Amino acid sequence: MSADRWFDALHTPRSRHGQAPDVFRRGGWVPMREYPQHEAVDFAIVGTGAGGGTLACKLAEAGFSVVAFDAGAWWRPLEEFASDEAHQEKLFWTDERLCDGENPLKLGTNNSGKSVGGSTVHFAMVSLRMRPEWFKSRSLLGYGFDWPIGWQEMWHYYEEVEQALKIAGPVRYPWGPKRPRYPYRQHEVNASGLALAKACEAMGVAWAPTPLATLSAPRDNAPPCVYRGFCVTGCSTNAKQSVLNTWIPRALKAGAEIRDLAMVGRIETGSDGLVSGVHYQRDGEWHFLNARHVIVAGYAIETPRLLLNSTSAHYPDGLANSSGLVGKNLMVHTNQAVWGEVDEEIRWYKGPPSLAITEHWNYEDRGKDFHGGYAIMSQGPLPAAWAATQTGNRGLWGQALVDEMQKYNHQVGLKIVGETLPQERNRVTLADEKDQYGLPIARVTWSMDDNDQRLVEHALEFMRCGLNGMGARNIWSEADGTAHLMGTARMGFDPATSVVDADCRSWDIPNLWICDGSVFPTSGGVNPSLTIQAIACRAADRIRQLSARGEL
């Protein structure tokens, strides 16, 4: 079978052609078919993003039968992605959700995805390891909760993911323990990244090229990044090393099945209290798949929504919820920015949006009046996103907006990924309203606490000083903004204070697993995708080991 046919089969969405593509199974190329309803698949996985897509690959390669579901379509980037911000909103999860709290979240473009590959299809590719001390933040730093996994073990799985994605990064990363060289050379830093470098040098802190999951040199049939700048709306050249382009092809080759446009609405449990399969809607009809194990990897909103919606006589409060913590302790990353104007031409849309970074305030605890940390990254918003920033944050419209947009190529910006603390009042619950599938929609409640606010104020002041120091003028701050979602089904040491154990296995139901950003006990000050994939790799290894010992 030619490489071209392999690529075409991988990227053929049911939504476009009405029929599923041929896929590679152990016996060779055969038409993709649905798993026979009277048989039980080893693992039904809900979600194909950083957690679910990685697990589909690793479990299939370990010899398990796997069917993975995604509510979104299976896109072919080379044919179906456009250099058009509005058109590419098809990648985002924009189904209705109710948002409240003191600081209601704005959901959609920067914190959830709806396609095979999940949010990684439109993520900014920033691939960072968490600070070692964060895995024991309560014991070592005095806040949050300890993770039941040590940093040394996580370092092993970080390396596995970095190799799988061929992360492009600097030879020497200036923060944290020494680590092997990144698989691919760093990307050349653009003018926007160099502006961050000047700001950091003015403030006396280190900076580095950002480790990114996009190719800096060819890989097999994939080309290197051409710096076209539409990364956060979907890479149309396949240089981005998303789950769609990395773990999913391996999963298919190992025999896994991916069902796109399949919304899982309920997990069934039997009279023995174990899960027995999933109900899902596809092509306008509800279906059921028998499964020996179910893995929920729908991310921090859809995961608790599904668990809470799967009530039964055994589990009147939802699945895996004996602790009462399913849906609670929702965390986000604060995502505030400072913007300025310079004389030289920056053209910040050229290249990935965050080509330079400083993690100084992730690793430095002196000079803080808050717990936690934050990273600062260079920025490169596309024109429509930048215009929305002007209208939404500065109230510009009409000629004033036109005049401001004329300065687009001379703008610089710094933005944080800031840690927020887990709070039980920040949560996901079920609303009375129903969605297009007849399922209760999610109510998402989030409020900043005093610690979160002090971190934001510290970051804004530091970034303002940095832009001043590098010679920017007309500096203004964007005080709102969040990104990424974590928490709502956290891992821990015991069933009274957590939802799953270190292996991502439910304390309550031994054949129910949860593996995505929802299991994070704390959020850290870095983008979560690398950590989610590392946890998924670890969980797959543990499942394989448990199976070998007859403990699965």
Side-chain angles (χ1 to χ4, degrees):
M1 182 56 58
S2 70
D4 288 342
R5 185 177 175 192
W6 162 251
F7 183 85
D8 289 342
L10 170 61
H11 294 83
T12 302
R14 288 177 58 94
S15 57
R16 176 161 176 160
H17 299 282
Q19 294 182 346
D22 291 354
V23 296
F24 185 88
R25 295 191 184 279
R26 289 186 178 86
W29 284 89
V30 297
M32 178 183 284
R33 61 177 178 83
E34 295 199 346
Y35 205 86
Q37 188 163 320
H38 63 278
E39 298 180 26
V41 67
D42 290 332
F43 285 91
I45 301 177
V46 183
T48 62
T54 305
L55 273 165
C57 167
K58 294 277 289 183
L59 292 176
E61 289 180 341
F64 296 104
S65 56
V66 174
V67 174
F69 299 87
D70 203 287
W74 195 337
W75 299 107
R76 297 178 299 187
L78 293 179
E79 298 182 23
E80 297 174 314
F81 286 1
S83 298
D84 183 306
E85 293 173 73
H87 178 82
Q88 290 301 110
E89 289 182 1
K90 63 188 181 183
L91 301 178
F92 308 142
W93 192 295
T94 54
D95 294 8
E96 184 179 6
R97 290 155 168 170
L98 300 182
C99 297
D100 60 16
E102 296 173 15
N103 307 95
L105 299 178
K106 296 178 181 178
L107 299 174
T109 59
N110 72 343
N111 48 28
S112 56
K114 193 175 186 180
S115 64
V116 174
S119 302
T120 69
V121 180
H122 65 83
F123 77 148
M125 307 166 299
V126 176
S127 301
L128 304 174
R129 300 184 180 195
M130 291 184 70
R131 176 183 172 182
E133 289 86 350
W134 286 340
F135 293 102
K136 293 291 183 283
S137 63
R138 169 57 60 182
S139 299
L140 299 178
L141 301 173
Y143 73 93
F145 296 89
D146 289 349
W147 292 54
I149 308 174
W151 75 267
Q152 293 92 340
E153 187 176 12
M154 285 297 296
W155 239 239
H156 164 75
Y157 287 106
Y158 278 140
E159 185 176 356
E160 178 181 351
V161 177
E162 289 164 352
Q163 288 293 334
L165 304 185
K166 299 304 179 190
I167 300 298
V171 174
R172 295 180 180 85
Y173 197 68
W175 303 283
K178 291 183 180 180
R179 62 190 72 180
R181 290 183 61 171
Y182 286 101
Y184 274 39
R185 63 168 176 80
Q186 68 188 44
H187 290 276
E188 183 177 354
V189 179
N190 62 0
S192 179
L194 293 176
L196 177 139
K198 292 178 182 177
C200 288
E201 290 163 1
M203 298 299 291
V205 302
W207 69 277
T210 308
L212 294 174
T214 187
L215 297 176
S216 59
R219 178 189 188 186
D220 299 328
N221 293 325
C225 180
V226 295
Y227 307 114
R228 54 187 287 278
F230 280 81
C231 315
V232 295
T233 57
C235 175
S236 67
T237 69
N238 278 324
K240 176 185 288 191
Q241 298 298 280
S242 67
V243 169
L244 176 65
N245 288 342
T246 54
W247 300 108
I248 294 294
R250 285 174 52 183
L252 294 178
K253 189 174 182 180
E257 180 183 329
I258 308 295
R259 296 186 191 176
D260 68 343
L261 299 173
M263 176 66 181
V264 176
R266 176 181 172 83
I267 300 170
E268 191 65 44
T269 52
S271 57
D272 57 2
L274 299 177
V275 300
S276 58
V278 297
H279 298 271
Y280 65 100
Q281 188 178 113
R282 200 182 198 200
D283 298 326
E285 297 181 358
W286 284 99
H287 308 271
F288 181 75
L289 177 72
N290 287 288
R292 298 181 181 89
H293 298 264
V294 173
I295 299 175
V296 184
Y299 210 26
I301 294 177
E302 292 304 309
T303 285
R305 180 191 179 202
L306 177 59
L307 296 172
L308 294 171
N309 193 51
S310 300
T311 56
S312 67
H314 269 91
Y315 306 108
D317 298 320
L319 303 186
N321 199 24
S322 64
S323 64
L325 293 175
V326 169
K328 296 182 179 178
N329 296 298
L330 173 68
M331 297 172 288
V332 302
H333 280 138
T334 46
N335 204 214
Q336 285 71 20
V338 173
W339 311 99
E341 181 185 342
V342 293
D343 290 328
E344 59 267 32
E345 199 170 66
I346 298 296
R347 294 190 177 271
W348 55 3
Y349 58 86
K350 290 190 173 183
S354 299
L355 276 166
I357 185 173
T358 179
E359 282 203 70
H360 175 79
W361 290 112
N362 273 336
Y363 285 85
E364 177 58 73
D365 294 319
R366 296 169 298 178
K368 291 178 178 177
D369 61 349
F370 57 89
H371 290 301
Y374 61 87
I376 302 175
M377 302 177 200
S378 59
Q379 293 300 294
L382 295 172
W386 182 242
T389 299
Q390 302 306 303
T391 58
N393 291 277
R394 305 181 75 185
L396 300 183
W397 198 251
Q399 189 60 47
L401 177 60
V402 172
D403 292 343
E404 189 62 32
M405 291 302 294
Q406 294 295 323
K407 306 173 186 177
Y408 175 73
N409 288 330
H410 294 267
Q411 302 285 347
V412 293
L414 307 175
K415 182 174 279 193
I416 68 167
V417 169
E419 185 168 6
T420 63
L421 301 189
Q423 305 178 63
E424 286 197 18
R425 65 170 178 163
N426 291 336
R427 62 195 182 276
V428 175
T429 54
L430 299 181
D432 294 332
E433 293 83 350
K434 302 295 196 296
D435 66 4
Q436 66 268 38
Y437 308 104
L439 303 170
I441 66 175
R443 179 183 296 275
V444 182
T445 302
W446 194 77
S447 304
M448 298 180 73
D449 70 0
D450 291 341
N451 188 85
D452 301 337
Q453 189 61 52
R454 289 195 299 272
L455 182 150
V456 167
E457 292 169 356
H458 185 280
L460 289 174
E461 178 61 22
F462 188 82
M463 291 188 291
R464 281 192 292 266
C465 291
L467 287 191
N468 266 316
M470 60 83 62
R473 62 180 183 277
N474 297 329
I475 295 171
W476 63 280
S477 301
E478 182 181 356
D480 296 325
T482 61
H484 312 129
L485 302 164
M486 295 143 290
T488 68
R490 74 173 175 224
M491 63 168 59
F493 298 92
D494 65 79
T497 58
S498 58
V499 176
V500 298
D501 64 15
D503 301 336
C504 296
R505 193 177 200 174
S506 162
W507 292 110
D508 299 351
I509 307 173
N511 65 336
L512 175 65
W513 311 72
I514 303 169
C515 190
D516 54 31
S518 68
V519 303
F520 283 29
T522 53
S523 64
V526 296
N527 307 50
S529 61
L530 192 76
T531 299
I532 296 172
Q533 291 171 82
I535 291 171
C537 287
R538 183 188 183 279
D541 282 354
R542 292 290 297 144
I543 288 171
R544 178 176 50 80
Q545 292 162 9
L546 290 168
S547 178
R549 297 199 299 264
E551 299 174 9
L552 196 58

